[in-house]
Amino acid sequence: MIKLTVNGKSLELDADPNMPLLYALRDIAGMTGTKFGCGVGQCGACTVHINGSPTRSCLTPVSAVQGTKITTIEGLADGDTLHPLQQAWLDNSVPQCGYCQSGQLMSAAALLAGNPSPSDADIDTAMQGNICRCGTYPRIKKAIKQAGVQIQEVKHG
């Protein structure tokens, strides 16, 4: 049994230790928000947070993340309250096909957790590993900046 902490909850999964975290999350834990894209860590669709850092779950063996704090797209919101990025995504009509969105949101959330006021260059650097086949990059950047402003407003009252 593999013991994981996902979105603040303890899980015990009957998984091969070498199974990619992505498959353990989707196929065993039933958490299908994290997407399979390329399977080689190139597209970012499978991005989750491991101890707050964006990580490609398609390349990460499930045994390597025991004892860590894993956050998936299902854990980004606070109950019924959307994360500021999720709201900004909606406000800016970011998704088209939506396939890359969970990975995009997780990478952007990691960026804003460390830098709530990113420059265009900061965003480009942080998001360079997340590919959107629909080309919604300008809307993604706008949503990240909007969410950053909202996060700063909440912090500073």
Side-chain angles (χ1 to χ4, degrees):
M1 284 297 207
I2 301 288
K3 295 181 180 179
L4 301 176
T5 302
V6 181
N7 301 330
K9 296 179 183 171
S10 296
L11 299 177
E12 287 190 26
L13 304 178
D14 185 12
D16 182 307
N18 295 317
M19 174 184 275
L21 175 60
L22 173 64
Y23 299 140
L25 292 170
R26 289 183 56 82
D27 299 341
I28 299 175
M31 303 174 78
T32 57
T34 304
K35 303 300 182 196
F36 175 86
C38 65
V40 293
Q42 297 289 312
C43 73
C46 67
T47 302
V48 298
H49 293 176
I50 305 295
N51 293 330
S53 296
T55 303
R56 304 296 188 253
S57 63
C58 71
L59 298 177
T60 306
V62 71
S63 61
V65 294
Q66 290 189 93
T68 65
K69 180 181 170 189
I70 302 164
T71 306
T72 68
I73 189 68
E74 290 93 343
L76 194 59
D78 183 14
D80 291 336
T81 303
L82 294 178
H83 185 283
L85 270 168
Q86 293 170 309
Q87 187 59 56
W89 240 244
L90 293 172
D91 293 347
N92 290 283
S93 301
V94 172
Q96 282 194 352
C97 82
Y99 202 80
C100 70
Q101 298 305 299
S102 61
Q104 299 275 0
L105 282 160
M106 296 308 288
S107 289
L111 167 65
L112 292 177
N115 178 5
S117 184
S119 66
D120 285 349
D122 294 334
I123 294 170
D124 290 344
T125 298
M127 302 302 290
Q128 68 182 351
N130 291 85
I131 297 171
C132 174
R133 294 187 304 182
C134 301
T136 63
Y137 299 110
R139 288 184 281 180
I140 290 170
K141 189 175 288 184
K142 185 176 177 184
I144 291 170
K145 287 185 175 251
Q146 176 185 320
V149 169
Q150 183 178 2
I151 289 169
Q152 288 180 340
E153 288 174 355
V154 170
K155 276 186 177 177
H156 301 295

